[in-house]
Amino acid sequence: MSEIIPERIGRIAPYEPVQGDYPVRLDANESFVGLPQSLRDELAGIVSGFAFNRYPDPLAGEVTALFAAYHGVDPAYLTAGNGSDELIALILGSFLDRGECVLTASPDFSMYRFYASLSGARCAQIQKDESLCVAAEALLSAALREKARLIIFSNPCNPTAQGMPAKEVLWLTDSFDGLVVVDEAYMDFWDQSVLDEAALRPNLIVLRTCSKALGLASLRLGFAAACPPLTQALRKVKSPYNVGGLTQAMAAAVLRHPDVLREAAARVVASCRSLHGALTELAGKYSGIRVYPTRTNFVTVASPYAGRLYDGLLSRGICVRRLDALLRITAGSETENAVLISAFGELLAQGAGGPDTTQGR
């Protein structure tokens, strides 16, 4: 069997989301805002009359046009995918030959390295500094040093919640001879998108998703924006019917209600702002806890006690995401945030955060 399965697959660590029944799930950066009942009724009507025996539109034309209208871009430059994950795998598997180098930053979305390894590409990383940021100049320098053919990073970043200004992203793109892939899964929560620039540059692909601000994670729908030659190449190498018909129909129905989507995104932003403020206030009472600014729908906390905090929260039925010394905490409902803050404060008071005696504790 070892001769049948390629060695590179044996070396890959699978992505393993937390499983189990936890009352408070703040680990996957999902939206806590559900669809209104009127819209749910509309989706139910779609299901009842859906032609399940027919293949879907291979280019997902209707939903692509609606997504483009929502973001103010031309649908001709968009390629739909079965979640942006499929598009990441497609790009890394199609635009890199075996052994060619892709550059990522660390920490960043782990699936970039996963799909690069799966395709046989060589993955080089640049380490972010204590601010959890990386400069465009540093990325370019590393790409040249490593002879990279492709640079990929999330902006704003998952899991750091930090972001690179649009002008720096465009400078990097214009300065690099290879392909630059900017994953804007969380850009609905910030204002530094380069989505409208993708069609104008020959080496830029911008990824967007319906899973975060739009609250449609279960439908699995994402888009890649690029210039005509890159768009033609993406459509050529993708599977013919990669986005299911029911996903297309349901997402199109939701996108016909842009006001509902914008209101939901605003609620998420307000929740994240509240969560960030409460965590910052707690962190100020203890040493060794750092709460980073956020451009996303989650808050990133660094602590040498991250393991104890994570386990303590889990034992209280609260699931967050841990990445070594970082805790990534999704903004939830008002009730979920309150439960998280209460438990987090209890754990810090019990010694999971190292009390700072200089502040009177």
Side-chain angles (χ1 to χ4, degrees), residues 1-12 98 117-118:
M1 185 63 70
S2 61
E3 296 179 356
I4 297 175
I5 300 175
E7 183 181 348
R8 70 177 184 278
I9 294 180
R11 293 194 301 264
I12 293 175
R98 182 179 298 276
S117 299
L118 199 61

Side-chain angles (χ1 to χ4, degrees), residues 123-201:
C123 189
Q125 297 182 59
I126 180 173
Q127 189 67 38
K128 296 180 180 179
D129 58 26
E130 289 186 0
S131 70
L132 298 183
C133 295
V134 61
E137 293 88 344
L139 277 173
L140 179 62
S141 178
L144 296 176
R145 182 175 63 252
E146 297 287 345
K147 297 181 172 57
R149 294 290 300 146
L150 187 152
I151 301 172
I152 183 169
F153 60 98
S154 57
N155 191 45
C157 175
N158 169 27
T160 70
Q162 308 310 296
M164 182 184 293
K167 64 179 181 181
E168 292 188 33
V169 174
L170 296 177
W171 177 87
L172 172 65
T173 303
D174 294 340
S175 303
F176 183 55
D177 287 336
L179 182 63
V180 177
V181 182
V182 184
D183 184 353
E184 291 191 346
Y186 296 89
M187 191 55 77
D188 287 295
F189 306 112
W190 202 29
D191 62 355
Q192 293 296 307
S193 178
V194 295
L195 182 66
D196 59 350
E197 296 287 338
L200 307 176
R201 285 172 163 77

Side-chain angles (χ1 to χ4, degrees), residues 87-97 102 111-117 119 121 150 152 181:
L87 295 168
I88 294 167
L90 190 68
I91 292 165
L92 294 178
S94 303
F95 288 84
L96 290 170
D97 290 330
V102 54
M111 297 306 289
Y112 304 147
R113 296 187 294 277
F114 178 91
Y115 289 127
S117 299
S119 69
L150 187 152
I152 183 169
V181 182

Side-chain angles (χ1 to χ4, degrees), residues 81-88 208-209 211 220-223 243:
N82 185 4
S84 53
D85 278 75
E86 184 205 18
L87 295 168
I88 294 167
R208 298 297 286 257
T209 183
S211 296
R220 310 307 301 129
L221 180 63
F223 293 89
V243 179

Side-chain angles (χ1 to χ4, degrees), residues 261-334:
L261 296 175
R262 293 190 179 97
E263 180 184 353
R267 288 178 61 188
V268 172
V269 170
S271 170
C272 193
R273 188 180 300 118
S274 174
L275 177 64
H276 184 272
L279 286 170
T280 300
E281 183 178 352
L282 273 177
K285 302 175 182 177
Y286 297 88
S287 62
I289 306 289
R290 180 172 182 178
V291 179
Y292 287 87
T294 178
R295 309 288 190 183
T296 62
N297 68 333
F298 60 88
V299 179
T300 300
V301 179
S303 170
Y305 315 99
R308 271 187 277 168
L309 288 166
Y310 175 81
D311 290 340
L313 290 172
L314 210 60
S315 70
R316 288 163 168 78
I318 305 168
C319 187
V320 300
R321 180 78 168 159
R322 182 194 170 197
L323 302 100
D324 297 323
L326 298 180
L327 295 177
R328 191 192 69 188
I329 306 172
T330 307
S333 66
E334 184 176 348

